[in-house]
Amino acid sequence: QVQLVESGGGLVQAGGSLRLSCAASGRTFSRYAMGWFRQAPGKEREFVAAVSWNGGNTYYADSVKGRFTISRDNAKNTVYLQMNSPKPEDTAVYYCAARTYGLRYDRPDEYDYWGQGTQVTVSS
């Protein structure tokens, strides 16, 4: 079992930058692939980015490709989402999630553990 706690959310101006962090409990963090998802009011939860267990592979939604970067530090049990040049449409609650096995990194139902979320608001 792993517990996830997100931090780093807040208010940011469009074109600025923000870094989200997700700290995981437990000794087996490196066994999990990690993902970031987001959910805006009235919308379904959507995939943002994911990283493989060793950080060797990363995956991004088309909407954030080239602007956001996912990374992880297994020594610190932490995964990050660097958000550069955010847009107002990136406003949402951001969740990190962990999974052991699956076929699709972009499907929320393939993740086993979720954090409580952190609000990101991008002003224009």
Side-chain angles (χ1 to χ4, degrees):
Q1 184 130 3
V2 62
Q3 292 184 323
L4 305 173
V5 179
E6 301 96 336
S7 61
L11 178 64
V12 61
Q13 281 194 325
S17 64
L18 196 67
R19 189 175 81 159
L20 306 183
S21 299
C22 174
S25 65
R27 304 178 184 177
T28 58
F29 176 72
S30 62
R31 295 183 184 178
Y32 296 93
M34 300 297 296
W36 284 97
F37 291 78
R38 66 188 182 188
Q39 188 166 19
K43 295 188 176 182
E44 293 187 352
R45 191 166 298 190
E46 66 173 0
F47 171 73
V48 176
V51 60
S52 60
W53 67 274
N54 64 353
N57 293 294
T58 56
Y59 309 86
Y60 296 94
D62 288 343
S63 59
V64 307
K65 201 172 294 182
R67 300 187 297 120
F68 293 6
T69 302
I70 188 170
S71 62
R72 66 188 297 161
D73 185 339
N74 286 346
K76 296 182 178 180
N77 282 11
T78 303
V79 62
Y80 304 97
L81 184 69
Q82 178 67 43
M83 304 171 62
N84 293 334
S85 300
K87 303 174 182 179
E89 51 263 43
D90 294 320
T91 295
V93 177
Y94 283 71
Y95 299 89
C96 73
R99 69 170 216 183
T100 50
Y101 303 105
L103 296 177
R104 296 278 303 270
Y105 281 97
D106 59 343
R107 289 186 53 161
D109 60 359
E110 294 202 2
Y111 286 77
D112 305 303
Y113 304 103
W114 291 84
Q116 83 289 348
T118 186
Q119 175 71 46
V120 172
T121 302
V122 183
S123 63
S124 57

